[in-house]
Amino acid sequence: MANEYRIFVANKSREYLCRHGQNILSSSIEQGVRVIKRGCLGGGCGFCKIRVEAGQYELGKVSIKALPAEERKEGFVLACKTVPLSDLVIRISGD
Amino acid sequence: MGVMRLGRVEARVLDLEKSIDYYSNVIGLQLVAREPGKAYFKAWDEEDHHSLIITEADYPGLEHMGFKVRYQEDLDTFEKAIEQYGIRVNRVSNRHRIGEGEAIRFTLPTGQVMELYHEIERIGNGLKLNPDPKPENLKGIAPPYLDHLLIAGEDVPATTDLLMKVMDFHMSERVILHGDELFAVWLFRTNTPHDIAIIKGPNGKLHHFAFGLSSWEDVLHAADCLAKNEVVLDEGPTRHGITRGLTIYFFDPSGNRNEVFSGGYIPGEDFTPVTWTEERLPRGIFYHKGEITERFTGVFT
Ligand code: FES
């Protein structure tokens, strides 16, 4: 599938597809894959925080309170503002 | 004499342009002024210069809330009373922000910054001589006024005590858990069920601020507007058990929760507060569904 990336949720053993340019939370909701918590979808609340274990992505503008710089360096992202640039392996935080 | 109403909310936003578009075209407020990093809005039926300021920042949330007092001298009275209560008060100088006069500024025990002010430029609503019921060319949801806000904090009783004892707020409703824990309160100075509410949660945080609407019909129209514009919905349209209000919750582009609110009752100063306990609290929050969602109780900015 040329215009989609595969998102593998490591600690849930689930996989779904994300269209190019779409964020990985909205695409999971669209497909009824309820693995990431959905909050404000605006990068403001931190509800959708997950960790990317492998792959390239672009992170849009998010709250520095919800995602401090140190966490960002460790691969944590806010899923609602994360657009994949390759297939991704993600891990749901807190599990 | 005293506090009249919630006059303004200053919210932090991540992207100013996107937020200006949202508050102008989806909410349907009037953009009255701009300066670098800030935009000022008023709702159509308000007479003061602005009731919402959005300020660009690295994280969303509440920058400050301002309550308008009846007379300029009230500022001196409240300054003394709040200092005597044990909270430090600062003066905010005239024209610190566009259109605003002097204010006093202090931090609530729950961590939010509150201002009291009297002077603000008056723009008017244009409906004072042989008026029609509404102005022309309203856009989006077009609420007539800013209604209330809900803030969170660890010590709900402390902020409640300050607001009731020093600023003469009255209680319309409260949530009491485990027999004696004051978990949330709804307080008013106007004749609506709440101008401010406080819920137990992380200090300094905003749960939502709300715009007033006039009917269930208007709430439905708002829901259609939100869907048409793909705004992120939280809950509703539905009814609250608490305040009996009709409501929708949704998120602005930075994740600040907004509400449109209609209905409720008209409490007087002698109103006996309504109490909610754990057995019935889910119906108190969302009357129809009778369920509390993790998102509604867990998302703050
Ligand atoms: S859902 Fe709120 S930050 Fe992603």
Side-chain angles (χ1 to χ4, degrees), chain A residues 37-38 44 61 63-65, chain B residues 14 58 232-233 294-295:
Chain A
K37 278 206 266 181
R38 195 278 262 183
K61 187 146 197 204
S63 162
I64 57 156
K65 288 269 163 96
Chain B
L14 296 173
D58 288 337
V232 180
L233 192 74
E294 192 191 356
R295 182 168 59 231

Side-chain angles (χ1 to χ4, degrees), chain A residues 37-45 47 61-66 81, chain B residues 14 18 58-60 232-233 251 253-255 294-295 298-301:
Chain A
K37 278 206 266 181
R38 195 278 262 183
C40 67
L41 285 176
C45 73
F47 230 48
K61 187 146 197 204
V62 299
S63 162
I64 57 156
K65 288 269 163 96
K81 291 288 175 182
Chain B
L14 296 173
K18 234 170 136 177
D58 288 337
Y59 57 100
V232 180
L233 192 74
F251 295 104
S254 312
E294 192 191 356
R295 182 168 59 231
V299 166
F300 297 94
T301 55

Side-chain angles (χ1 to χ4, degrees), chain B residues 67-85:
Chain B
F67 281 81
K68 187 175 186 181
V69 298
R70 182 68 186 93
Y71 301 109
Q72 184 66 16
E73 308 82 79
D74 291 343
L75 293 189
D76 303 328
T77 314
F78 281 122
E79 183 175 36
K80 269 190 220 108
I82 296 164
E83 292 264 5
Q84 254 167 33
Y85 188 85

Side-chain angles (χ1 to χ4, degrees), chain B residues 46-110:
Chain B
E46 291 169 337
E47 299 182 69
D48 289 343
H49 183 267
H50 56 263
S51 59
L52 175 68
I53 307 168
I54 56 174
T55 298
E56 198 158 44
D58 288 337
Y59 57 100
L62 181 69
E63 187 66 17
H64 91 277
M65 65 189 119
F67 281 81
K68 187 175 186 181
V69 298
R70 182 68 186 93
Y71 301 109
Q72 184 66 16
E73 308 82 79
D74 291 343
L75 293 189
D76 303 328
T77 314
F78 281 122
E79 183 175 36
K80 269 190 220 108
I82 296 164
E83 292 264 5
Q84 254 167 33
Y85 188 85
I87 290 177
R88 233 185 99 205
V89 180
N90 291 309
R91 286 262 166 178
V92 181
S93 57
N94 200 21
R95 305 287 139 168
H96 175 70
R97 288 177 294 258
I98 297 176
E100 298 180 4
E102 205 182 357
I104 60 169
R105 185 179 174 94
F106 50 95
T107 304
L108 296 175
T110 41

Side-chain angles (χ1 to χ4, degrees), chain A residues 47-86:
Chain A
F47 230 48
C48 64
K49 194 183 295 176
I50 58 152
R51 192 170 187 168
V52 179
E53 296 197 325
Q56 309 300 312
Y57 57 88
E58 200 172 85
L59 183 61
K61 187 146 197 204
V62 299
S63 162
I64 57 156
K65 288 269 163 96
L67 186 70
E70 315 83 71
E71 289 189 5
R72 213 170 157 141
K73 275 191 220 121
E74 289 165 15
F76 286 98
V77 297
L78 300 184
C80 68
K81 291 288 175 182
T82 301
V83 175
L85 301 172
S86 73

Side-chain angles (χ1 to χ4, degrees), chain B residues 163-164 168-172 186-189 193 268-270:
Chain B
L163 292 175
M164 292 185 71
D168 202 25
F169 276 78
H170 310 292
M171 188 187 290
S172 60
W186 285 256
L187 305 177
F188 64 95
R189 281 289 310 164
E269 293 186 7
D270 59 346

